[in-house]
Amino acid sequence: MKDVAARAGVSLGTVSNVLNHPELVSERTRRRVQSAIDALGFVRNESARQLRGGGSRTVAYVVFDAANPFFTDVAAGAQAATDAAGLALFLCNSGEDRERQAAYLDLLEQQRVEGVLITPVDPADPRLAALARRGTPVVLVDRGAGPEHCSVTVDDVLGGDLAATHLLDLGHRRIAFVGGPRSIGQVADRITGAERAIARGGGEPLTVLETEKLNIAEGRRAGERFLGLPAARRPTAAFCANDLLALGLLQQLVHLGLRVPQDVAIVGYDDIEFAAAAAVPLTSVAQPRQRLGRTAAELLLDEARGPAGHTHQHILFAPELVVRASTGLHRAATVA
Amino acid sequence: MKDVAARAGVSLGTVSNVLNHPELVSERTRRRVQSAIDALGFVRNESARQLRGGGSRTVAYVVFDAANPFFTDVAAGAQAATDAAGLALFLCNSGEDRERQAAYLDLLEQQRVEGVLITPVDPADPRLAALARRGTPVVLVDRGAGPEHCSVTVDDVLGGDLAATHLLDLGHRRIAFVGGPRSIGQVADRITGAERAIARGGGEPLTVLETEKLNIAEGRRAGERFLGLPAARRPTAAFCANDLLALGLLQQLVHLGLRVPQDVAIVGYDDIEFAAAAAVPLTSVAQPRQRLGRTAAELLLDEARGPAGHTHQHILFAPELVVRASTGLHRAATVA
DNA sequence: CTTCGGCGATGAAACGTTTCAAGAGGTGGC
DNA sequence: GCCACCTCTTGAAACGTTTCATCGCCGAAG
């Protein structure tokens, strides 16, 4: 910037004014400075600017699994909101890894981002509360929060209930749950919801096939374990914690010779775009993904704008069941 | 930091040493300073640190479409490399939008990231060359580059050739290409490859159904247009620029009553995980996705480490055809 | 002719670190 | 008892901006 000033024959302050308050600078000087900038290829050093007091104009979304289309849809919603506010959104993929989540949170705080959206692997990480306490707004996405954050969630207990109720209505009595680890709140809630429905509807206790992650590969593995269950105790339906698991499970079961939905009915969760395109189109519990992201980002921006006039909110959306071929009408017909 | 120093009864320099060169500080003082840090919840200001000379320890991948699993797999590969090097990776989603790409590039340069990986919407953006000229390493991913960058690509002409050759081998003579816009290099190359194969194999000229984007929704739309073609000129096979289009197309054609592969054979591109799980498992041209990302990040890190001993490289991988049901054996049998 | 106001431009302080030359204090050798 | 050396700590400079009080100048008003 010094060089620019020298070349244009003005002071540092004037160059800065051209950049930040062009209306204060005369047309003539502004042009001279601008051409010096262009000639020298000057690029403002954001660190220095930020140091002096400007904010970072940056927000981050720490995502649980970037490879899951559910989260990229949420991110798209968030980006719509940050774009409108003129902030940049960085995506950070924790990849279901606590340490990576921790590393990102530390980094983001050091970089003084304006706020953090996060779908946490580990909502108990003290970093989250600390971050908020020290003044970086944090909004939990798809996960409930304590009094120190805003949160935007979808009712996972209800979602689990919807899924299980649907299967019970179709006449299924022995239902499997595929998903895990249970330490993940969403998983635990969906199980709770399913158990609630079963208790009410009079099915047998849920057979839980716990997985280590929530991806397609784990779904396939669960398929093998499913088939390994003694035929007498084998469930006639599976409710999966997300669509990736459901797609993997579906693929593996079909591969091993079972028919869906005749032999096994499957319900997924999230209703990602691929669910409808699956080998057997997937019944799934739909969440308002974009809306989730947009709302979360709006809450974040509100808090970042005026920490004063902001009160934490916990917004809860309702999921909806989308019925497709993977649960079929077969049993229903049988029952009816 | 001043507060920390005061509370611990030491100088600023000592606090800094505790943070950056703990081996220079006596055990006693170190503990005192550390407890002051904890008590005050001090978080180092990364801007100031960077200003004084430290690098940003940060790399970004500007991705073409975060919702396409192809790119998240590439990103996972890149992250493996940056993790190993102790750098953080930020994902920036340009979402096929030139302006957003431009905004991200400006921002990243201002933030002085150590390097930029990018699958550009617009490889002609002068920002890219300028960035490199001014000293920020740039590596093009899945897109060829001039002499000013490294690049890591997969041979798209060959990929197009493989796909079309496969269809020709199955006896198809009238082939559609679904994808666009043509301004995207990958799309143009895949068309070129397909045309080369057709010229060699003696099919009719490619029917190009140009799309605006490369996603599922556009694939569905292409399905309608496909069916709108006069029956006499309607192709018997479609080669899609990526799997998202192929999945959308497949879904729509089936929905409209066509059988795949009997009425229309479909070949996709990328071989994303969902391709195998589709209604009719998709024949697709596979790319070494993770490898692509890892290699690109490694080149970037090499350049960032020593701009001196670095020479730009252009690495080209070969794609492979993965045959599944969507091209079936049907025609082959007919022909044979 | 003086004074006032307003517009543009200026220069220095401030932001929060890191680095580095130099100082303080202690230990051991001669 | 002096010097050399070592370890630990210090203080100040430097990084590249933005901001703000101030100044110079010009035209208009009195």
Side-chain angles (χ1 to χ4, degrees), chain A residues 10-11 13-14 17 24-26 29 51-52:
Chain A
V10 297
S11 73
T14 302
N17 280 337
L24 295 181
V25 181
S26 76
T29 348
L51 180 56
R52 183 47 226 259

Side-chain angles (χ1 to χ4, degrees), chain A residues 152-232:
Chain A
V152 184
T153 45
V154 184
D155 191 337
D156 286 311
V157 177
L158 173 56
D161 192 321
L162 286 175
T165 300
H166 172 62
L167 291 172
L168 291 163
D169 285 351
L170 291 174
H172 295 280
R173 285 292 161 265
R174 202 152 46 223
I175 300 176
F177 176 87
V178 176
R182 277 176 123 124
S183 60
I184 295 175
Q186 288 88 331
V187 173
D189 286 356
R190 290 168 199 178
I191 291 180
T192 303
E195 284 174 338
R196 181 174 80 187
I198 289 174
R200 197 180 51 229
E204 298 180 19
L206 205 58
T207 306
V208 176
L209 292 177
E210 192 162 349
T211 62
E212 279 173 27
K213 298 198 139 204
L214 295 162
N215 54 31
I216 297 188
E218 282 285 318
R220 291 202 198 96
R221 217 160 299 146
E224 284 169 14
R225 286 163 59 201
F226 186 92
L227 219 76
L229 296 175

Side-chain angles (χ1 to χ4, degrees), chain B residues 10-11 13-14 17 25-26 29 51-52:
Chain B
V10 298
S11 73
T14 301
N17 280 336
V25 181
S26 75
T29 338
L51 180 56
R52 183 46 227 259

Side-chain angles (χ1 to χ4, degrees), chain A residues 195-272:
Chain A
E195 284 174 338
R196 181 174 80 187
I198 289 174
R200 197 180 51 229
E204 298 180 19
L206 205 58
T207 306
V208 176
L209 292 177
E210 192 162 349
T211 62
E212 279 173 27
K213 298 198 139 204
L214 295 162
N215 54 31
I216 297 188
E218 282 285 318
R220 291 202 198 96
R221 217 160 299 146
E224 284 169 14
R225 286 163 59 201
F226 186 92
L227 219 76
L229 296 175
R233 292 200 288 115
R234 190 185 298 153
T236 59
F239 166 39
C240 299
N242 75 7
D243 284 343
L244 300 184
L245 289 171
L247 289 171
L249 179 73
L250 168 63
Q251 208 183 336
Q252 189 66 20
L253 291 185
V254 168
H255 180 71
L256 294 176
L258 291 188
R259 291 163 308 159
V260 174
Q262 294 86 340
D263 298 325
V264 186
I266 298 182
V267 181
Y269 207 108
D270 290 344
D271 192 30
I272 60 177

Side-chain angles (χ1 to χ4, degrees), chain B residues 274-288:
Chain B
F274 298 102
V280 180
L282 218 56
T283 294
S284 190
V285 178
Q287 315 199 59

